[in-house]
Protein backbone atom coordinates (compact mmCIF):
# COMPACT_ATOMS: atom_id res chain seq x y z
CA UNK A 1 0.00 0.00 0.00
CA UNK A 2 1.10 3.58 -0.45
CA UNK A 3 1.30 6.40 2.09
CA UNK A 4 -2.02 7.92 0.98
CA UNK A 5 -3.81 4.60 1.45
CA UNK A 6 -2.09 3.97 4.78
CA UNK A 7 -3.10 7.43 6.02
CA UNK A 8 -6.72 6.84 4.97
CA UNK A 9 -6.77 3.47 6.73
CA UNK A 10 -5.29 5.00 9.91
CA UNK A 11 -7.97 7.72 9.89
CA UNK A 12 -10.71 5.15 9.23
CA UNK A 13 -9.57 2.98 12.14
CA UNK A 14 -9.45 6.05 14.43
CA UNK A 15 -12.97 7.02 13.36
CA UNK A 16 -14.23 3.49 14.08
CA UNK A 17 -12.64 3.34 17.52
CA UNK A 18 -13.96 6.84 18.33
CA UNK A 19 -17.48 5.42 18.00
CA UNK A 20 -16.62 2.18 19.85
CA UNK A 21 -16.73 0.00 16.74
CA UNK A 22 -15.56 -3.56 17.36
CA UNK A 23 -13.74 -6.41 15.62
CA UNK A 24 -11.88 -4.29 13.09
CA UNK A 25 -10.27 -6.28 10.29
CA UNK A 26 -8.02 -4.93 7.57
CA UNK A 27 -7.91 -6.96 4.35
CA UNK A 28 -5.06 -6.26 1.94
CA UNK A 29 -6.46 -7.23 -1.48
CA UNK A 30 -3.66 -5.85 -3.66
CA UNK A 31 -2.50 -9.26 -4.91
CA UNK A 32 -6.02 -10.38 -5.88
CA UNK A 33 -6.75 -9.46 -9.49
CA UNK A 34 -10.54 -9.63 -9.16
CA UNK A 35 -10.75 -7.46 -6.02
CA UNK A 36 -12.87 -4.31 -6.26
CA UNK A 37 -10.29 -2.25 -4.31
CA UNK A 38 -6.85 -2.55 -2.73
CA UNK A 39 -8.15 -2.78 0.83
CA UNK A 40 -11.23 -3.51 2.89
CA UNK A 41 -11.71 -2.24 6.41
CA UNK A 42 -14.44 -4.25 8.13
CA UNK A 43 -15.96 -3.58 11.54
CA UNK A 44 -19.20 -3.90 13.43
CA UNK A 45 -21.52 -1.96 15.68
CA UNK A 46 -24.03 -3.36 18.14
CA UNK A 47 -27.10 -1.48 16.85
CA UNK A 48 -28.32 0.20 13.67
CA UNK A 49 -27.77 3.61 15.28
CA UNK A 50 -24.16 2.69 16.15
CA UNK A 51 -23.55 1.35 12.62
CA UNK A 52 -24.71 4.64 11.08
CA UNK A 53 -22.78 6.63 13.71
CA UNK A 54 -19.55 4.76 12.85
CA UNK A 55 -20.11 5.35 9.13
CA UNK A 56 -20.81 9.06 9.76
CA UNK A 57 -17.65 9.31 11.88
CA UNK A 58 -15.55 7.82 9.07
CA UNK A 59 -16.98 10.13 6.40
CA UNK A 60 -16.67 13.23 8.62
CA UNK A 61 -13.12 12.45 9.76
CA UNK A 62 -11.76 11.82 6.27
CA UNK A 63 -13.47 14.96 4.95
CA UNK A 64 -12.14 17.11 7.81
CA UNK A 65 -8.61 15.70 8.17
CA UNK A 66 -7.79 14.64 4.59
CA UNK A 67 -10.30 16.57 2.46
CA UNK A 68 -11.45 13.25 1.03
CA UNK A 69 -15.05 12.42 0.14
CA UNK A 70 -16.19 8.91 -0.70
CA UNK A 71 -16.97 7.99 -4.29
CA UNK A 72 -20.16 6.43 -3.03
CA UNK A 73 -21.80 4.91 0.03
CA UNK A 74 -24.88 2.81 0.60
CA UNK A 75 -26.85 1.10 3.34
CA UNK A 76 -28.02 3.97 5.54
CA UNK A 77 -31.69 3.12 4.91
CA UNK A 78 -31.51 0.01 7.12
CA UNK A 79 -28.06 0.55 8.70
CA UNK A 80 -27.46 -3.19 8.89
CA UNK A 81 -24.49 -3.03 6.52
CA UNK A 82 -23.11 0.29 5.34
CA UNK A 83 -20.41 0.33 2.68
CA UNK A 84 -18.29 3.40 1.98
CA UNK A 85 -16.20 3.45 -1.22
CA UNK A 86 -12.99 5.48 -1.23
CA UNK A 87 -11.66 3.80 -4.39
CA UNK A 88 -8.48 2.25 -3.01
CA UNK A 89 -10.20 1.48 0.32
CA UNK A 90 -13.72 0.19 0.91
CA UNK A 91 -15.18 0.30 4.41
CA UNK A 92 -17.84 -2.16 5.57
CA UNK A 93 -19.71 -1.42 8.80
CA UNK A 94 -21.98 -4.28 9.87
CA UNK A 95 -24.39 -5.42 12.52
CA UNK A 96 -22.82 -8.65 13.89
CA UNK A 97 -25.43 -11.01 12.37
CA UNK A 98 -25.00 -9.47 8.90
CA UNK A 99 -21.24 -9.63 9.18
CA UNK A 100 -21.50 -13.33 10.07
CA UNK A 101 -23.94 -13.94 7.21
CA UNK A 102 -21.89 -12.22 4.48
CA UNK A 103 -18.56 -13.35 5.97
CA UNK A 104 -16.35 -11.13 3.79
CA UNK A 105 -13.19 -12.32 5.54
CA UNK A 106 -13.89 -15.88 4.36
CA UNK A 107 -15.03 -14.74 0.90
CA UNK A 108 -11.70 -12.87 0.49
CA UNK A 109 -9.60 -15.41 2.42
CA UNK A 110 -6.75 -15.06 -0.12
CA UNK A 111 -6.18 -11.55 1.26
CA UNK A 112 -3.65 -10.72 3.94
CA UNK A 113 -5.92 -10.19 6.95
CA UNK A 114 -4.92 -8.13 9.96
CA UNK A 115 -7.23 -8.03 12.98
CA UNK A 116 -7.03 -4.85 15.05
CA UNK A 117 -7.53 -5.50 18.79
CA UNK A 118 -10.58 -3.90 20.43
CA UNK A 119 -9.67 -1.09 22.81
CA UNK A 120 -11.61 -2.47 25.76
Amino acid sequence: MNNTTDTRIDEIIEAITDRKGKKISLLNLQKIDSAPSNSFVICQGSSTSQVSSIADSIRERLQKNLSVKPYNYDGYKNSQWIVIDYGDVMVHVFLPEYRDFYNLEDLWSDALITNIPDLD
Side-chain angles (χ1 to χ4, degrees), residues 8 17 42 44 50 56 77-78 82 87 99-100 112 116-117 120:
R8 282 186 195 181
T17 57
I42 303 170
Q44 63 190 48
Q50 186 184 22
D56 287 344
K77 183 175 180 180
N78 295 319
I82 295 176
R99 183 176 185 170
D100 291 344
L112 174 64
I116 310 296
D120 56 0

Side-chain angles (χ1 to χ4, degrees), residues 59-86:
R59 292 174 47 222
E60 290 164 8
R61 187 179 187 106
L62 268 69
Q63 172 71 36
K64 179 181 175 193
N65 295 350
L66 303 176
S67 299
V68 174
K69 291 183 179 180
Y71 293 112
N72 205 351
Y73 52 88
D74 194 24
Y76 275 93
K77 183 175 180 180
N78 295 319
S79 295
Q80 298 164 338
W81 171 15
I82 295 176
V83 61
I84 309 168
D85 181 358
Y86 285 102

Side-chain angles (χ1 to χ4, degrees), residues 7-68:
T7 301
R8 282 186 195 181
I9 289 170
D10 291 344
E11 291 287 338
I12 290 165
I13 291 170
E14 286 292 322
I16 293 167
T17 57
D18 283 352
R19 292 297 198 287
K20 311 287 188 227
K22 301 286 185 201
K23 296 189 177 181
I24 302 169
S25 296
L26 172 59
L27 281 64
N28 182 328
L29 303 164
Q30 287 180 309
K31 296 186 186 223
I32 302 173
D33 292 335
S34 61
S37 71
N38 290 334
S39 303
F40 281 177
V41 179
I42 303 170
C43 70
Q44 63 190 48
S46 59
S47 66
T48 55
S49 58
Q50 186 184 22
V51 167
S52 60
S53 176
I54 291 167
D56 287 344
S57 176
I58 293 164
R59 292 174 47 222
E60 290 164 8
R61 187 179 187 106
L62 268 69
Q63 172 71 36
K64 179 181 175 193
N65 295 350
L66 303 176
S67 299
V68 174

Side-chain angles (χ1 to χ4, degrees), residues 70-113:
Y71 293 112
N72 205 351
Y73 52 88
D74 194 24
Y76 275 93
K77 183 175 180 180
N78 295 319
S79 295
Q80 298 164 338
W81 171 15
I82 295 176
V83 61
I84 309 168
D85 181 358
Y86 285 102
D88 57 341
V89 180
M90 292 184 76
V91 185
H92 302 269
V93 186
F94 284 100
L95 284 175
E97 58 269 27
Y98 289 87
R99 183 176 185 170
D100 291 344
F101 180 80
Y102 289 103
N103 199 1
L104 295 182
E105 290 94 335
D106 193 44
L107 183 66
W108 296 99
S109 61
D110 291 349
L112 174 64
I113 300 174

